[in-house]
Amino acid sequence: MSGGQKETMDKFKQSSDVERDPTIAKLLVHLKTMREAVPVNYQLKKDLKQKLLAQMQQMGNVNKAQVPVIQNRSKRTRRWVTSIALVTAVIMVSVLWKTMQGPAVEDLKPFPVQGEFVDADLSPDGKQIILLTKESLLVYDTKGQKINSIPLPEQSEVDSVAYSPLGQEAAFILRDQQRSEIWAANLYGGAKRLIYDAENVPIQSLNWSSDGKWLYVQKGEEIWKLSTNSTQAMHIGQGLRPSVSPGGNHIAIEQNGEIVVLSEKEKQVKKIGKGEKAQWINEKWLVFFDSAKQDLVAVNPLEASTKQVPLGLSGKLHGLPGELHSSVDGSQIIMIGHENKNEISVYTGTSRWR
Amino acid sequence: MGMAIKKEHTAEDPEMIQNESYEDRDFSELYDEYFDRINRYLRSRVHNMWDADDLTTVVFMKALEKFHQYDRRNLFASWIFRIAHNTFIDYLRKVKEYPMEPGEWMNGSHEDHDDTWQPEKNLLNDEQVYFLHEKMEQLTQDQRDVLSLRYFGDLKISQVAEVLGKTESSVKMISHRGLRQLQKLYEMEGQG
């Protein structure tokens, strides 16, 4: 009997009469299909392995450090001492690991480019920063080297710039006295296209969906979802400054001074707390400005407790912390500080969002 | 790859060296082999994907912490799944202490985790997995534990018995009744 046949026979012997019943057999095939349909988080697998290897390395170092002291003891005592040392090291690493849990923003420093900027955004890969001035769109790398400059048509105001998640374009808003226009500019060729326009109602606050097919905007005091490829436009509801989650399932908006999260699919609404300028960082973490704390706070809206974690940015910037934009992987961020009503300052930094 | 945290082979324990089922792989190799099964098992039991992933992390952190206690004469599958099952039970207790309020959702998205995500295919599978999860909720706790360990953890009956601290005959009976009941529930919905 071959190895494969032996394994099949072993499984048959292990199986019960129920499982050999043909009516149940279909159910078993279905259960196997369902098992395979449950996806594995390979990113977690990779990340966790690195952490475990680091921990094992530390445990190994602790073992080596102990060897000269215990050389003269009996084997039994040596094992006990080694075990205690290992456990102590693991506990210390676990405590350190637990203190590192939770979101954090680090290494904040001013972006070296100076000017009168209206808005800024970070590219999805975290390698470029786009700055919106009244005259142009300026693209820089994160060290401050200019990559491109795209002049804008004359108008009274500019408002909001947002990188497309696909990385090639950026959307921005031009306004004059009666008309608001949303444009998208190709950051490498400079070609521009008009996405949407509206008369007699101001448009502000741009937020792309993660597939680049939609823009969520504030039109007056209403939230709208606009197609970037057609004339389709959908009214979402009342609110300000929309931010859509990367998965597209949840929209964070401001209503009456509170941050509220809407679920488009389930048609559910959840109040998060008093605040403004909410931004999704990833599918789990939402960041917004808490005026009581004068700081940005992070919250996981899908947890029952919606515990707010302050990011500790108050006092680290010139002015109050404003919007926070992150790269797709969450490791790079830019922070916009509001020094006064008309001026922003830009900071770069790193972050983690566990 | 990775540091081996192994028990020493000594002349005092000749059985360990001679036993054919002795597990001599190091922790990182066992991690590579069992991560998928543990993650899948926890994701099948916990509706919230992030909680399931957090629990997966906890399981392997605990496993590393206790690896020096693992008797390599026993199968690693039973040992790691016992940790996974107990971690899941602890999670259930906490969820019961702080229940979700009606109207709040407890969702997890598969979308940003699977590199091979195909929206249409996953939508269909997601619905089927959700349907199965709903039907499993109508079984007894023991039946859910046994069927989940057997068919999502891909464990043998003897391993399930070790994980749950039951006899093999007891596990077979629970599995028998669980499958029959699940079959009936599917038939009632016209999906049998």
Side-chain angles (χ1 to χ4, degrees), chain A residues 11 13-19 21 23-24 26-28 30-49 51-53 55-61 64 75 78-79 83 86-87 90-91 93-94 97 101 246-250 261-263 265-266 268-270 282-284 300-305, chain B residues 1-5 8 10 12-13 27-28 31-33 35-37 39-40 43-44 48-51 53-54 56-57 60-61 64-65 68 98-100 103-115 122-123 125-126 128-129 132 136 150-154 156-158 168 172 175-177 179-180 182-183 186-187 191-192:
Chain A
K11 278 192 176 165
K13 284 178 185 167
Q14 277 264 318
S15 64
S16 63
D17 291 337
V18 173
E19 289 166 353
D21 180 341
T23 60
I24 293 292
K26 196 176 162 191
L27 176 63
L28 295 179
H30 178 69
L31 289 177
K32 188 183 170 193
T33 308
M34 288 300 98
R35 180 179 73 226
E36 284 158 13
V38 176
V40 172
N41 187 342
Y42 290 110
Q43 187 62 45
L44 173 66
K45 184 177 185 178
K46 185 179 148 195
D47 294 343
L48 180 57
K49 184 166 184 181
K51 288 176 180 69
L52 290 170
L53 285 174
Q55 197 163 320
M56 285 155 68
Q57 185 78 30
Q58 262 189 318
M59 286 157 66
N61 287 343
K64 278 182 196 167
K75 281 184 188 169
R78 197 189 308 158
R79 281 201 204 116
S83 301
L86 264 175
V87 168
V90 168
I91 290 169
V93 170
S94 300
W97 166 250
Q101 290 289 328
N249 294 326
H250 306 107
V261 174
L262 316 175
S263 165
K265 260 191 216 171
E266 286 84 22
Q268 287 177 332
V269 175
K270 184 173 182 180
N282 52 32
E283 202 61 31
K284 181 175 175 179
N300 179 354
L302 302 194
E303 268 185 358
S305 63
Chain B
M1 183 181 174
M3 291 198 51
I5 302 177
E8 292 176 3
T10 68
E12 293 168 348
D13 304 312
F27 185 85
S28 73
Y31 170 85
D32 287 338
E33 178 175 332
F35 178 92
D36 293 18
R37 284 168 69 180
N39 190 230
R40 217 174 240 139
R43 279 175 159 220
S44 72
N48 185 304
M49 293 288 126
W50 299 322
D51 284 353
D53 290 346
D54 282 347
T56 306
T57 302
F60 283 100
M61 295 292 284
L64 178 59
E65 201 175 311
H68 62 286
Y98 301 104
M100 300 289 283
E104 288 186 2
W105 64 84
M106 189 174 75
N107 274 338
S109 170
H110 301 187
E111 291 161 359
D112 53 345
H113 294 311
D114 189 347
D115 289 340
N122 259 28
L123 186 60
N125 283 339
D126 279 358
Q128 290 174 331
V129 171
L132 172 61
M136 295 272 282
R150 214 111 204 244
Y151 299 108
F152 284 92
D154 200 19
K156 297 176 189 170
I157 286 183
S158 56
E168 283 188 37
K172 276 187 190 170
S175 178
H176 171 112
R177 288 179 181 164
L179 283 173
R180 283 266 183 244
L182 196 57
Q183 175 73 4
Y186 267 87
E187 281 166 1
Q191 296 209 14

Side-chain angles (χ1 to χ4, degrees), chain A residues 3 73 78 142 166 168 199 217 304:
Chain A
R73 299 188 194 192
R78 197 189 308 158
T142 51
L166 309 175
Q168 299 287 323
E199 299 273 350
V217 305

Side-chain angles (χ1 to χ4, degrees), chain B:
Chain B
M1 183 181 174
M3 291 198 51
I5 302 177
K6 295 184 182 182
K7 278 190 179 176
E8 292 176 3
H9 299 269
T10 68
E12 293 168 348
D13 304 312
E15 270 188 22
M16 279 171 47
I17 301 165
Q18 291 169 16
N19 191 327
E20 285 177 1
S21 67
Y22 182 80
E23 178 58 77
D24 60 358
R25 287 177 292 176
D26 69 7
F27 185 85
S28 73
E29 283 180 73
L30 293 165
Y31 170 85
D32 287 338
E33 178 175 332
Y34 283 91
F35 178 92
D36 293 18
R37 284 168 69 180
I38 294 288
N39 190 230
R40 217 174 240 139
Y41 166 70
L42 288 168
R43 279 175 159 220
S44 72
R45 301 218 67 181
V46 177
H47 203 190
N48 185 304
M49 293 288 126
W50 299 322
D51 284 353
D53 290 346
D54 282 347
L55 292 181
T56 306
T57 302
V58 169
V59 166
F60 283 100
M61 295 292 284
K62 277 187 189 170
L64 178 59
E65 201 175 311
K66 297 181 184 180
F67 195 65
H68 62 286
Q69 296 175 10
Y70 163 55
D71 186 344
R72 289 176 179 271
R73 289 171 293 187
N74 298 327
L75 289 169
F76 185 77
S78 308
W79 187 76
I80 191 80
F81 269 94
R82 192 177 312 122
I83 297 176
H85 177 73
N86 291 338
T87 304
F88 170 68
I89 296 297
D90 290 342
Y91 165 81
L92 273 191
R93 284 197 198 107
K94 282 185 193 153
V95 166
K96 279 179 185 158
E97 282 172 20
Y98 301 104
M100 300 289 283
E101 289 182 19
E104 288 186 2
W105 64 84
M106 189 174 75
N107 274 338
S109 170
H110 301 187
E111 291 161 359
D112 53 345
H113 294 311
D114 189 347
D115 289 340
T116 60
W117 184 55
Q118 293 164 3
E120 296 80 17
K121 183 178 172 190
N122 259 28
L123 186 60
L124 189 61
N125 283 339
D126 279 358
E127 286 174 1
Q128 290 174 331
V129 171
Y130 182 79
F131 183 85
L132 172 61
H133 198 271
E134 249 193 352
K135 296 303 148 214
M136 295 272 282
E137 289 296 309
Q138 296 178 47
L139 304 178
T140 65
Q141 183 66 48
D142 274 348
Q143 287 168 353
R144 278 203 295 279
D145 287 346
V146 167
L147 294 187
S148 297
L149 284 166
R150 214 111 204 244
Y151 299 108
F152 284 92
D154 200 19
L155 294 180
K156 297 176 189 170
I157 286 183
S158 56
Q159 293 167 339
V160 173
E162 273 191 60
V163 170
L164 297 178
K166 295 182 186 300
T167 61
E168 283 188 37
S169 55
S170 174
V171 168
K172 276 187 190 170
M173 186 158 57
I174 296 169
S175 178
H176 171 112
R177 288 179 181 164
L179 283 173
R180 283 266 183 244
Q181 183 62 17
L182 196 57
Q183 175 73 4
K184 272 189 199 159
L185 291 169
Y186 267 87
E187 281 166 1
M188 277 162 56
E189 295 279 343
Q191 296 209 14

Side-chain angles (χ1 to χ4, degrees), chain A residues 42-328:
Chain A
Y42 290 110
Q43 187 62 45
L44 173 66
K45 184 177 185 178
K46 185 179 148 195
D47 294 343
L48 180 57
K49 184 166 184 181
Q50 283 173 2
K51 288 176 180 69
L52 290 170
L53 285 174
Q55 197 163 320
M56 285 155 68
Q57 185 78 30
Q58 262 189 318
M59 286 157 66
N61 287 343
V62 167
N63 270 347
K64 278 182 196 167
Q66 290 287 333
V67 162
V69 175
I70 60 175
Q71 252 170 9
N72 294 329
R73 299 188 194 192
S74 68
K75 281 184 188 169
R76 201 186 169 105
T77 313
R78 197 189 308 158
R79 281 201 204 116
W80 271 110
V81 172
T82 308
S83 301
I84 290 167
L86 264 175
V87 168
T88 309
V90 168
I91 290 169
M92 281 171 61
V93 170
S94 300
V95 167
L96 188 63
W97 166 250
K98 279 176 185 161
T99 59
M100 286 174 66
Q101 290 289 328
V105 170
E106 291 159 343
D107 305 325
L108 264 187
K109 47 190 174 225
F111 186 57
V113 176
Q114 303 289 320
E116 286 183 14
F117 307 126
V118 174
D119 197 12
D121 196 7
L122 182 66
S123 63
D125 60 9
K127 292 179 181 169
Q128 291 181 2
I129 294 172
I130 190 165
L131 301 166
L132 177 65
T133 73
K134 280 192 170 182
E135 294 83 28
S136 54
L137 283 170
L138 304 169
V139 184
Y140 288 86
D141 68 15
T142 51
K143 289 186 169 49
Q145 292 288 327
K146 189 187 270 194
I147 295 173
N148 203 356
S149 170
I150 298 164
L152 300 179
E154 278 188 30
Q155 73 294 317
S156 351
E157 285 181 58
V158 293
D159 186 307
S160 285
V161 64
Y163 255 104
S164 156
L166 309 175
Q168 299 287 323
E169 284 184 317
F172 54 96
I173 298 172
L174 303 180
R175 281 203 296 262
D176 64 20
Q177 281 154 0
Q178 285 169 334
R179 196 178 158 83
S180 292
E181 295 174 342
I182 301 174
W183 290 81
N186 184 298
L187 298 175
Y188 301 97
K192 300 176 212 40
R193 60 190 179 104
L194 179 65
I195 291 180
Y196 186 80
D197 61 338
E199 299 273 350
N200 299 320
V201 59
I203 297 178
Q204 53 200 102
S205 191
L206 292 171
N207 198 241
W208 291 83
S209 62
S210 59
D211 58 9
K213 292 181 181 173
W214 301 94
L215 271 170
Y216 290 76
V217 305
Q218 177 188 329
K219 188 172 148 186
E221 291 184 0
E222 307 283 324
I223 305 298
W224 282 77
K225 180 177 170 182
L226 310 174
S227 169
T228 58
N229 300 315
S230 71
T231 55
Q232 204 178 354
M234 289 187 265
H235 180 245
I236 301 293
Q238 213 176 20
L240 311 176
R241 287 190 269 254
S243 174
V244 64
S245 64
N249 294 326
H250 306 107
I251 307 169
I253 58 175
E254 289 171 38
Q255 281 183 347
N256 304 318
E258 276 192 300
I259 301 296
V260 166
V261 174
L262 316 175
S263 165
E264 275 194 282
K265 260 191 216 171
E266 286 84 22
K267 309 287 180 218
Q268 287 177 332
V269 175
K270 184 173 182 180
K271 287 186 184 174
I272 304 300
K274 286 199 184 311
E276 54 185 82
K277 298 177 193 165
Q279 290 276 346
W280 286 96
I281 301 299
N282 52 32
E283 202 61 31
K284 181 175 175 179
W285 290 104
L286 179 70
V287 168
F288 62 91
F289 179 71
D290 183 328
S291 52
K293 295 185 176 83
Q294 296 281 285
D295 195 2
L296 290 186
V297 297
V299 66
N300 179 354
L302 302 194
E303 268 185 358
S305 63
T306 59
K307 178 186 158 193
Q308 294 179 11
V309 180
L311 295 179
L313 299 171
S314 176
K316 290 187 182 173
L317 318 174
H318 291 295
L320 293 173
E323 296 80 14
L324 188 145
H325 300 284
S326 87
S327 55
V328 165

